Amino acid sequence: GEIEEEKLDSYDVHFYAPSREEIEDEVTKEGSLKLERLEMFEIDKKEQGKESYGTEVSKAVRAIQESMISNHFGEKILDNLFENYAILVDEEIAKED
């Protein structure tokens, strides 16, 4: 109810995360850089004493998507959107467990 359905339908952003090999291949093929080290991190689902897994995932997604979402929908929806997203991720993880 916070966003017009038309505006929501017009937001079409695709996401693609390359594999380690794809990153290495592109850097090598492009040639102007030398890859010395490539580190990939995964959020620990079981780590105690930290924020929930859903909150951590939500923060990571927000870091990438926030500027595009706020540009399209406005900043006022951001906090509520990502809080709800964190809850949904936690609910899905609970189903998997």
Side-chain angles (χ1 to χ4, degrees):
E2 293 181 38
I3 299 170
E4 297 170 19
E5 190 171 342
E6 229 175 65
K7 192 150 189 129
L8 183 60
D9 290 343
S10 71
Y11 187 72
D12 187 20
V13 177
H14 299 276
F15 177 77
Y16 175 74
S19 69
R20 172 186 295 271
E21 292 79 19
E22 288 172 306
I23 294 169
E24 291 170 344
D25 289 347
E26 286 302 313
V27 170
T28 301
K29 185 170 43 174
E30 198 280 328
S32 65
L33 299 172
K34 178 183 174 190
L35 187 62
E36 293 182 8
R37 184 174 85 194
L38 176 64
E39 293 183 47
M40 300 175 83
F41 299 94
E42 188 172 328
I43 300 170
D44 186 358
K45 294 179 187 176
K46 305 293 183 192
E47 194 169 314
Q48 299 297 319
K50 300 276 183 174
E51 294 177 314
S52 73
Y53 178 72
T55 299
E56 295 293 331
V57 169
S58 179
K59 285 180 178 181
V61 172
R62 186 172 185 164
I64 297 164
Q65 294 283 325
E66 181 172 13
S67 63
M68 292 182 287
I69 291 171
S70 65
N71 185 50
H72 192 79
F73 299 107
E75 291 184 18
K76 66 181 182 178
I77 70 158
L78 293 173
D79 290 338
N80 193 34
L81 173 68
F82 287 103
E83 286 170 15
N84 287 336
Y85 181 62
I87 291 167
L88 291 172
V89 170
D90 283 332
E91 288 173 357
E92 286 300 311
I93 292 302
K95 287 180 192 177
E96 288 178 18
D97 290 344

